[in-house]
Every structure is written in structure tokens, then in C-alpha cells.
Amino acid sequence: MELSSRKRNIAFWVLQIVGWGFINSIGALIPQNISFEMVVFSIIVGTFIGVLSTSILRWYLKRNVHFDSFGVKEVIKIIVSTLLAATLFGLLNVFFGYIYVEFGPDLTETEMRMFEGYDKIMVQVLNSIFLVGAWVITYLVIKLLLKLNQNRIERLELNTTLKQAQLNTLKGQINPHFMFNSLNNIRGLMLEDVDKSREMLTKLSEILRYSLTKNNINDIPVREELEVVDNYIDLSKIQFENRLEFVKKVDDDTLDLRIPPMIIQLLIENATKHGISNLKSGGRILLAICKKGDDLYIEVRNTGKLNISEDSTKLGLNNIEQRLKLLYADRASFKLEEISEEVVAEIKIPLV
């Protein structure tokens, strides 16, 4: 989860105080025979020096080092600023050490040995480089991890937005694609049989109502999808009359499983448009749905040959492939092949 700027700042200050306090506590408690006053002074002042110098360093790094375009200039800035912070760290150690020696309580022998050379600035700075350098490395590692996490979240949000936009576009293709085909059928029968035309309009309105109400969701129960398929078949049978035979073999344990809306209807429509409609004697469409292990298998067989014309947009087939890929990635599959004078379309959808 991405941390807010306020929470990151709070976490930084807590880690600063606790971290430097812990380091100085260890340094103050290891030596033997030192006074309580010396321990308290070392912890408080050491923590103050560490927090002050590294907080100034952090302020500089945040405003002058661009991690998005990290290069030689940024490395130089980090090295120079680290050396300057270490110098400040060492000078403050010398200053507060002088204050304690000159104005503090009498020193024990152990404390006197501890303060030997406290006024040697270069020694203090060199010692400080190690501490401040370790702090910089830790800071940069945390900064990098937060940046990587932020980039990951942004990519996920972008992919989610893109996928949803693509899904909405694909869903929007279904309605006009199906509607134009149905309206053409109605137009052909309008002057021949008014009753049949009226019945086709009723079926069409039911199908369009279904597609519109399910347009904002990504999955529905199989039984709801079968209702629109039945309406489509009834609609098509009015046109094809006895030329169309529809057989449905659906296992009962699949009726409540969830699938993308309109996906079976597209298979049936493709079988009708590119299969049965091209055969003078008509043919059969078989719909079979079953569950195998953790996958749902949807199969549509139609009489005919797999012969997609060059001028075909293959809108329905492409729609199915893209929706499955967007919703299930590589876990779903769709294949279309010709087997023994039949065109077989099979979809495999993961259930877990």
C-alpha cells in the first residue's frame, strides 16, 4: 500500500530519533566506569547531532537529487553532500565535547580517555563519514524501494484503467454488431410476413435489453446467458425456418457458474452467420457446456466448413479473444477449427 506524504514524514522522524537514540545508547553504555550524567549527555546530544545533520542532508537530497533521471551529476551531489554532512556531524561532536569537558562535571579516568583527541577535527570528521555514509546508503535503499513500489502501483492502476476501457469498448461493439444483423433480417421479412416481423422485433428488444443491462458487469451466471441464446435462436429460426436445428447439452452443475456476458451468444451468432446461412439445406448448431476440474468448457459446433472470407472483419471472434485475454490473461483459451464437416469453437474459462 502506498504511504501518504504525511505518514512518510512521521515514519522518517520516528526512525530518525529511534535509530540515532539506539546507536548512541550502545556507544554510551559499552564503556565501563562512566557517570550517569555522561550517559544521558551522550545519548541526548549524540541523538541531536545525528538527527540534525542527516535531516539537513535529507532536505538537500530531496530538493536537488532527481532520482527519476539518476546519473553522474546525482552521484557527485550525493557524495559531496554526504561529506559536508559528515563534516557538520564531526564539528558538532567537537563543539559539544568541548562544552562538556569545560563546563560539565568532573571526568572519571575512563571519561578522560574517551575525550582524548576530541578536539582533533579531522579524526572526528573521518569517524563521522562512516556513520553518515551508512545513513545515506540506508536512506537511498528505502527511497529506491518506495519508488519501485510507487511505480508498481501506478502500473497496476494504469493497467486496470486500460483494461476496463478496453472491455467497455469491446462490450460496446456487441450491441451494434448484433443489432445490425437482426435489423437486416427484420427488414427482409417486413413486407412478407408482418406477424413474423412483429415477433422478431419482440425477441430483438428482449436481447437488446439484456445486452444493455449487462454492459457494466464482467461476468454473469451461465443460466442468464442461455436465456439470451434461446431468444437469439428463436429469432433466427423465424428466418431460417426448418433449415436451423439447435441442440443444447448443458450440465446442471454449470448453470450458476459465471462467464463474461454475451460470449456464448457471439459464438452462436458466428455459427449462424458464417455457417448455417451459407448452406442451402441448413444445418445443426450444438451447444455443449461442461465443467472439467477447475475449468469451464464451452463448445459450439455447427455444420459447415471453416472458410472465413477475406473481407470479413471477424469482429465477433476478435471480440471473444480480446475479452478472454483481458479478463483471464493466459489462463483462458479460445480455438476455432474444422473437424469432420463441422466447425468447432471451444472456450476454456478458469473457475479459480
Side-chain angles (χ1 to χ4, degrees), residues 9 27 36 39 50 108 122 133 152-153 191 256 264 276 294 326 345:
N9 284 328
F36 175 76
V39 172
T108 65
M122 287 306 300
R152 181 183 64 84
I153 293 174
L191 299 177
D256 293 319
I264 299 179
I276 307 304
D294 294 329
L326 287 171

Side-chain angles (χ1 to χ4, degrees), residues 178-231:
F178 171 76
M179 183 176 63
F180 292 148
N181 289 338
S182 299
L183 289 177
N184 284 333
N185 293 337
I186 295 174
R187 183 183 62 181
L189 292 177
M190 188 68 70
L191 299 177
E192 299 178 7
D193 194 322
V194 176
D195 291 336
K196 285 187 177 181
S197 299
R198 185 181 296 113
E199 185 177 353
M200 289 182 72
L201 284 173
T202 301
K203 296 292 183 181
L204 177 60
S205 65
E206 292 176 358
I207 294 173
L208 291 180
R209 184 183 300 110
Y210 170 86
S211 64
L212 290 173
T213 56
K214 305 301 180 182
N215 194 47
N216 294 324
I217 58 177
N218 291 329
D219 57 77
I220 59 168
V222 170
R223 65 171 73 249
E224 291 187 22
E225 179 76 356
L226 293 179
E227 292 178 4
V228 74
V229 169
D230 290 337
N231 284 335

